[in-house]
């Protein structure tokens, strides 16, 4: 696993939170992207070398809607960049972690992603992500 790629924050209202985080960071988000397969709308901010992803549910069965209903708004996941997501999934499975996506799926911001169940990671939802290359698009 490499560096932290981004931190995901679950929010109720993306527009309200975009304004809030823009004043916090002193600059606006650089991108908004909807991921219909996940039932989420996301926005991204850069703070120095760091990236923050805000996630709003677009339907009531979205994992973000369930998360907010259970825990309220707040930090939802930590994403780590990996060089070879498939190799990392097999390695982590062998180590005993519960991988929620056996096959990487397309996430926001041009990434292959896979999640680890928080029950095997001390309550922290972990996302693995690998840049989608031009030939894979
Ligand atoms: Zn993420």
């Amino acid at each position: 696993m490499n560096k932290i790629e981004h931190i995901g924050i679950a929010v109720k209202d993306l527009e309200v939170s975009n304004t809030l985080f823009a004043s916090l960071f002193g600059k606006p988000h650089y991108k908004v992207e909807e991921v219909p397969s996940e039932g989420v709308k996301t926005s991204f901010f850069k703070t120095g070398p760091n990236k923050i992803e805000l996630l709003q549910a677009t339907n009531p069965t979205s994992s973000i809607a369930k998360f907010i209903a259970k825990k309220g708004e707040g930090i939802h996941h930590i994403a780590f960049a990996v060089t070879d997501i498939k190799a990392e999934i097999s390695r982590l499975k062998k180590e005993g972690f519960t991988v929620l996506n056996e096959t990487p799926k397309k996430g926001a911001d041009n990434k292959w992603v896979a999640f680890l169940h928080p029950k095997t990671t001390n309550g922290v939802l972990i996302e693995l992500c690998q840049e989608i290359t031009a030939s894979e698009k």
Side-chain angles (χ1 to χ4, degrees):
M1 241 183 251
N2 306 325
K3 65 162 190 165
I4 290 179
E5 213 284 328
H6 63 270
I7 293 175
I9 298 175
V11 303
K12 286 181 185 162
D13 184 322
L14 199 61
E15 284 196 26
V16 169
S17 297
N18 277 341
T19 305
L20 174 76
F21 281 86
S23 56
L24 178 68
F25 296 142
K27 57 182 160 184
H29 60 281
Y30 65 91
K31 173 177 203 174
V32 171
E33 187 177 346
E34 194 164 337
V35 187
S37 58
E38 296 300 303
V40 296
K41 196 171 170 188
T42 65
S43 67
F44 288 92
F45 289 83
K46 275 199 180 108
T47 55
N50 306 305
K51 191 162 111 183
I52 302 294
E53 174 185 34
L54 303 184
L55 304 108
Q56 179 209 289
T58 53
N59 69 61
T61 57
S62 150
S63 57
I64 295 300
K66 290 176 191 159
F67 178 88
I68 288 179
K70 210 168 149 188
K71 297 186 172 173
E73 293 178 298
I75 293 180
H76 177 258
H77 64 269
I78 300 178
F80 291 89
V82 297
T83 313
D84 181 343
I85 195 165
K86 286 178 186 165
E88 202 62 3
I89 288 171
S90 351
R91 183 184 74 81
L92 292 166
K93 276 169 65 183
K94 275 185 212 132
E95 293 287 346
F97 294 98
T98 302
V99 179
L100 294 169
N101 316 96
E102 300 271 328
T103 308
K105 53 184 183 175
K106 282 187 178 178
D109 210 20
N110 194 46
K111 299 280 189 292
W112 290 115
V113 302
F115 288 89
L116 303 185
H117 197 290
K119 75 180 177 197
T120 56
T121 49
N122 282 176
V124 182
L125 179 62
I126 304 283
E127 176 183 5
L128 308 176
C129 49
Q130 181 185 345
E131 197 81 15
I132 298 176
T133 61
S135 61
E136 293 174 317
K137 278 178 197 168

